Amino acid sequence: MATQDELFASVDALLEEAPQLPLPAERARLREEAGITQARLAAALQTTPQTVKNWENGRSEPREPRLSAYRRLLEGWAAKHPRPGTTGAVASTRSVSTPSAAQTTATDPLPAPPQALSVAAPARSGAAPEAGSSMAPPAASAPHEAATPADSATAREEPDSLPSPSPSRRRVVSSAAGPFRNGPLVVLDAGGTGYGVDGIVLECPASTIVELVEWTLADSGLGADRLHRHGKDSDPLVVLTAAAAAGFGLPQHLEDRRGLRLGEDHPVVRDIIKAKWQLTQRGFGPWARIYRTAQGAQRQCVQLAILPWGALDERSWPGVTDMDPADIARVLGIYAQRVLTPRGGTAVNGLELMTALRPPTRPVRDEESGNWVSGHHPGSLGTRPLNPAPPEARPEHPVVVNSGWKGGFLNEEAYQWVRDVELLSDEECHLPFAVGLDLNTAFLASAARLAVGLSEPEYFIRPNFYPKVPGCWLVDLSHIDLDPRLPSPFTPTGQRPTGPAWYQTHTVAYAQELGYSVEILEAYLRKETGAYLDPWHDRLKNAYTDTLADLGVTKDLTDAEFLTAMERHRHTDPVLAAVLAAIKGTIKGGIGKLFEGPQGKGYQDGEPWPAMQRPTWAPWIRNAVISKTRVNMHRKLLNMSRMTGMFPLAVLSDCVVYPSPGASPLDFLPYAASGKPQPGGFRLGPTPGLAKLEGVQEMLWAVDLMEKGYSPARHIKGGDAVFDEGE
């Protein structure tokens, strides 16, 4: 028989094996509830913010002596901030929750002058709803198009690659349990046959749109889990083919080409209203939302996408409308699993993804009543739109019109520059080829660890410059004289500035990096800052690289193998190629939506327009992304000139064209003696910010275009292809 000492030793061994810390998602929750940033926690534990981030997403675990100190801190926070439905430290430290899929990076503490500036705690994203929590975030009463984006999308562990579902026509229903057992969406064809994700086939008995909505909510098992624990589950999406739309009494084309909606007197719209369902302000158009006011946390909303009305735009979803319903379901299903359930065009989805990953509200305990109420979610843009500083706004914005602002505007846009043909050397002109490089999702790469303003701007006169403070600065950079064979980093045209102008923080910081002094005349700065786009970046980066990998373009390829794989990837699988195009459209369109302007001939300057009334209308965030992208491009161009003596012919957004002795980037990119790419210049690869081949033409062709005033970067693909200059 075992002795007491032996039994105690066995028990102690079990205790040693027990978790010593809460699960990663709970660690992040406790820190957020305490209002502490990752940077501040890292400073207290004498480590780095990235290490704290790794602890909170499960990539690594702390070791002694930090382990004991971290555990003591978490236990103290758990006692002060128990999860809803639990009490005390034990409940918090032993909670069972899902590790978050994407985390944020806190910005560095901001300097005090010219006024004490503080950093908001960045919000954690991607976590599943907490176990045992009885508090659901307040439900939106109606998904109003001009209000806060209402819905979030699915949060699931993403596989390395998604299996290709069988195009079987069998009537298959998923055996999975739960309210969303049949996935996020269905593509409905003639006869009520619906094609879902992973080969699921459903039968829909509805004969009217009203019956379709009621069947979807009651019996379809469609929808998706929230992407963030403070967000909302994604509403089910029903995609109607031309045959299905006709079966529900919908026309094949919309007569209202401007409004893109059915008239209010159409029988389908009348039936919807008669059944006490509602439509958003956009009405019944290509992306129609039909809803009733939510009851508590239970939403009643269905999204319809009408394919014959152009719901899947060819530019963002190439070839998808012409696919058979099963393949359409596969395209949209992969996109929904890797990005979010579509709610509109890819630009709309890009903006909706930001909100899904950074919900504006979270449950907070009311100190007087002790009840849980809706409160601001730190790190988000909140529930109300913030005014831009006058130089950040559009000329027609009320802030500008009502104040009579005449002080000029920021011009932070992507490059459109062509070198003066007179600056071409004879040696360059005699090279045989012009080779174009394109940076993969350059705007997405710039969004990583990007500190942006999350509060109203404040005005300062002649402040010192602080490169960590987001804002816009009035400064004269015209004295900076750079090599004319490179574009100026301070203007989109690449021309040297002619006097004082407004610039975003990254642009001014780069002037300092180049060794020049900057004297600020005026500035609009924001106290509250955070890495708002970090989870957005992480999710889209994974979606992009995973989809490329499914197409055979993986990170382990040599540069030569990478170029070969990129030549073939678009022809490997039309479904995955369409998903990749949609992901890229989501990135560019989402950034562009941050500065969306008024539409319609009847608009008058000074009037509010729908887009600017969204909390996510944030031109200063777009400015930061584009400024950082342009600066990153110039830094690479400058490093290339120093390492190789080569200068570009033209730059258009994230595409650059170089004269080359050969028809491949391998003929002019800098490599070390070991064969590895030289750091600082352009590098080939599949991840955001690395380069791929855009196109090759003869050098004489490029010089001829330049002499005529055209950009080789715009047409380097050949076939008169025009480069996409959007975000």
Side-chain angles (χ1 to χ4, degrees), residues 190-203:
T193 301
Y195 299 85
V197 299
D198 299 327
I200 293 174
V201 181
L202 303 175
E203 287 298 327

Side-chain angles (χ1 to χ4, degrees), residues 228-525:
H228 190 283
R229 63 193 176 97
H230 294 322
K232 303 178 182 69
D233 294 336
S234 179
D235 296 321
L237 169 63
V238 179
V239 181
L240 301 183
T241 66
F248 287 115
L250 298 174
Q252 290 299 293
H253 303 283
L254 287 173
E255 295 182 4
D256 181 3
R257 301 309 302 167
R258 179 176 294 275
L260 288 178
R261 67 182 72 187
L262 284 182
E264 294 182 0
D265 59 344
H266 192 278
V268 169
V269 176
R270 291 205 307 264
D271 288 347
I272 292 171
I273 302 304
K274 183 178 179 181
K276 301 190 182 303
W277 290 96
Q278 301 179 58
L279 295 166
T280 62
Q281 280 191 337
R282 289 189 177 183
F284 200 105
W287 290 90
R289 298 187 66 77
I290 304 175
Y291 69 96
R292 283 178 179 154
T293 302
Q295 303 296 323
Q298 185 64 41
R299 291 177 55 78
Q300 301 181 81
C301 187
V302 174
Q303 175 83 59
L304 300 182
I306 319 298
L307 294 185
W309 297 356
L312 299 180
D313 183 84
E314 179 67 20
R315 293 169 297 179
S316 300
W317 304 90
V320 176
T321 300
D322 296 330
M323 295 179 180
D324 64 52
D327 281 339
I328 296 174
R330 185 176 168 224
V331 171
L332 297 178
I334 296 173
Y335 181 88
Q337 290 170 326
R338 294 184 175 178
V339 183
L340 84 169
T341 306
R343 292 196 55 200
T346 51
V348 171
N349 296 336
L351 203 64
E352 292 296 318
L353 182 62
M354 295 179 195
T355 303
L357 294 168
R358 292 284 200 191
T361 62
R362 65 169 181 170
V364 296
R365 191 185 294 277
D366 182 76
E367 294 184 359
E368 294 184 1
S369 66
N371 296 328
W372 290 91
V373 297
S374 178
H376 174 65
H377 186 196
S380 76
L381 287 172
T383 58
R384 64 178 182 86
L386 300 174
N387 279 328
E392 296 170 337
R394 291 179 172 274
E396 61 268 29
H397 194 284
V399 163
V400 175
V401 175
N402 296 340
S403 67
W405 173 259
K406 302 295 182 183
F409 300 92
L410 272 84
N411 190 24
E412 297 287 11
E413 298 293 343
Y415 268 133
Q416 295 190 52
W417 172 82
V418 180
R419 199 202 314 179
D420 186 340
V421 72
E422 299 295 329
L423 296 176
L424 293 175
S425 68
D426 291 342
E427 181 182 358
E428 288 176 316
C429 290
H430 285 96
L431 289 173
F433 296 103
V435 177
L437 295 176
D438 177 70
L439 298 185
N440 301 318
T441 60
F443 295 123
L444 181 65
S446 298
R449 300 178 297 280
L450 178 67
V452 299
L454 300 176
S455 58
E456 299 278 2
E458 296 190 18
Y459 177 68
F460 299 91
I461 298 177
R462 294 193 175 278
N464 293 328
F465 176 67
Y466 301 100
K468 297 289 187 179
V469 179
C472 57
W473 314 76
L474 182 63
V475 58
D476 190 347
L477 301 179
S478 61
H479 63 286
I480 299 179
D481 188 16
L482 301 175
D483 193 315
R485 291 172 294 179
L486 291 176
S488 167
F490 309 124
T491 64
T493 63
Q495 302 303 310
R496 184 173 174 177
T498 57
W502 290 96
Y503 300 97
Q504 202 274 339
T505 298
H506 286 87
T507 305
V508 185
Y510 188 57
Q512 276 194 338
E513 180 184 325
L514 293 173
Y516 295 91
S517 62
V518 294
E519 184 177 347
I520 306 300
L521 304 176
E522 303 173 49
Y524 285 91
L525 310 178

Side-chain angles (χ1 to χ4, degrees), residues 553-681:
V553 186
T554 56
K555 299 176 184 178
D556 58 347
L557 300 177
T558 66
D559 284 0
E561 292 169 339
F562 167 73
L563 292 172
T564 301
M566 286 300 294
E567 288 181 6
R568 301 172 178 170
H569 83 283
R570 292 183 180 178
H571 311 291
T572 301
D573 184 336
V575 166
L576 289 170
V579 173
L580 187 67
I583 292 169
K584 292 191 287 187
T586 302
I587 296 165
K588 289 189 175 184
I591 297 298
K593 276 281 186 180
L594 294 169
F595 197 35
E596 186 177 2
Q599 301 178 11
K601 293 183 178 180
Y603 176 77
Q604 299 291 326
D605 287 355
E607 293 178 351
W609 63 89
M612 62 159 281
Q613 294 175 310
R614 295 188 307 246
T616 47
W617 193 82
W620 57 93
I621 296 180
R622 176 184 180 272
N623 291 336
V625 171
I626 295 181
S627 170
K628 185 178 176 182
T629 302
R630 198 178 65 247
V631 164
N632 286 346
M633 173 66 83
H634 190 275
R635 189 181 290 111
K636 287 182 171 63
L637 297 173
L638 183 60
N639 289 338
M640 283 284 292
S641 70
R642 292 170 174 171
M643 289 187 289
T644 67
M646 300 183 68
F647 294 86
L649 303 177
V651 183
L652 182 64
S653 188
D654 47 12
C655 175
V656 57
V657 177
Y658 274 99
S660 172
S664 168
L666 301 177
D667 295 316
F668 67 90
L669 290 179
Y671 290 87
S674 63
K676 294 184 178 181
Q678 291 279 21

Side-chain angles (χ1 to χ4, degrees), residues 170-183 197-202 220-221:
R170 293 179 297 110
R171 274 44 174 170
V172 182
V173 178
S174 170
S175 60
F180 308 137
R181 60 190 180 277
N182 289 325
V197 299
D198 299 327
I200 293 174
V201 181
L202 303 175
S220 70

